[in-house]
Amino acid sequence: MRLLAVSKTWPAACLGEAIAAGQRAFGENYVQEAIEKSAELAGLGAATGLEWHFIGPLQSNKTRLVAEHFAWVHSIDRLKIADRLAAQRPPQLAPLQVCIQVNVSGEDSKSGCAPAQAAVLARATAALPNLRLRGLMAIPEASDDIGLQRRRFALLRQLLDRINAEGLSLDTLSMGMSHDLEAAIMEGATLVRVGTAIFGERNKVGEPPRAKCET
Ligand SMILES: *Cc1c(COP(=O)(O)O)cnc(C)c1O
């Protein structure tokens, strides 16, 4: 199981501590912020071997920067976005590793394709050049009910099993965050995306940037 350290809102210095502790894969939601941090870490000589994962909602006008600067995208929810990433991935880079985001709790406010659309979107995405479809991702509704958490994650696992039974060989279940990672691991997560439990509570929008990280 892989640990993705979700470093959104945290300055490069905080990532430096995690890098010193051996962490290499970082998740970010805002393209510009991630590019700036990566450049800052490169300036410090600390960027080698880092793997940047884009995990936030992805709009069409941001796909080029994501295709050029990230190793992974977890949040593909429609074919248009996959098409653009495939067309914009620089051919000299390794294929972009991608996951389809599925809305497993059915909330209108959550991004992700409907579970019933996941297989069709997966097949279409798997056929695109310059991308490698790795699996599925979900962000269920926040809940303290571990039974409910497990049912949401189980749905994602069953979807992956079904898609694989139909001929793909996907190896990634990107599920579980700070508050529900135990349930996700019990249901077979292969990659958990953890921010708060590593770096501490994030700033709210509008608060000044943090000068240091609290670990
Ligand atoms: C912010 C974020 C996380 C990390 O959330 P925590 O609760 O801080 O662990 C994981 N995945 C996605 C998609 C996120 O946006």
Side-chain angles (χ1 to χ4, degrees):
M1 217 230 350
R2 295 191 72 195
L3 171 64
L4 183 66
V6 177
S7 45
K8 62 186 176 203
T9 78
W10 293 101
C14 302
L15 280 68
E17 288 184 21
I19 294 166
Q23 182 65 28
R24 292 293 174 269
F26 292 92
E28 293 276 345
N29 293 45
Y30 309 102
V31 182
Q32 209 59 47
E33 181 190 328
I35 292 172
E36 281 164 23
K37 272 182 223 175
S38 148
E40 199 175 327
L41 288 165
L44 298 170
T48 23
L50 297 189
E51 191 178 86
W52 296 94
H53 293 231
F54 189 82
I55 60 175
L58 183 47
Q59 309 302 327
S60 295
N61 62 351
K62 293 285 166 55
T63 53
R64 180 174 298 280
L65 280 174
V66 169
E68 289 173 353
H69 290 275
F70 286 81
W72 281 69
V73 175
H74 292 237
S75 44
I76 291 186
D77 60 355
R78 54 198 192 278
L79 189 56
K80 181 185 178 192
I81 295 296
D83 272 334
R84 291 178 65 90
L85 290 169
Q88 294 167 341
R89 180 68 168 174
Q92 71 274 19
L93 296 184
L96 187 61
Q97 312 291 302
V98 301
C99 293
I100 307 277
Q101 183 175 352
V102 183
N103 181 350
V104 290
S105 25
E107 298 166 287
D108 288 344
S109 59
K110 281 278 189 291
S111 21
C113 72
Q117 296 166 351
V120 170
L121 182 55
R123 277 195 296 276
T125 301
L128 291 171
N130 304 320
L131 304 184
R132 181 160 165 232
L133 181 64
R134 296 294 298 270
L136 303 178
M137 179 274 230
I139 312 173
E141 73 270 55
S143 165
D144 292 333
D145 175 351
I146 191 153
L148 178 67
Q149 293 175 0
R150 289 189 65 166
R151 286 197 297 282
R152 300 303 193 217
F153 292 133
L155 173 62
L156 197 71
R157 173 172 41 77
Q158 287 153 9
L159 271 176
L160 188 92
D161 290 344
R162 201 174 317 148
I163 291 168
N164 280 340
E166 290 167 0
L168 295 182
S169 41
L170 309 183
D171 62 9
T172 300
L173 277 172
S174 166
M175 59 189 200
M177 317 191 345
S178 295
H179 70 280
D180 57 11
L181 62 94
E182 289 87 356
I185 291 166
M186 285 189 268
E187 294 300 339
T190 66
L191 181 154
V192 290
R193 308 177 312 270
V194 181
T196 309
I198 295 175
F199 295 104
E201 292 289 337
R202 281 182 295 276
N203 271 356
K204 308 279 179 296
V205 174
E207 285 176 7
R210 288 181 192 258
K212 63 180 183 68
C213 24
E214 294 138 7
T215 47

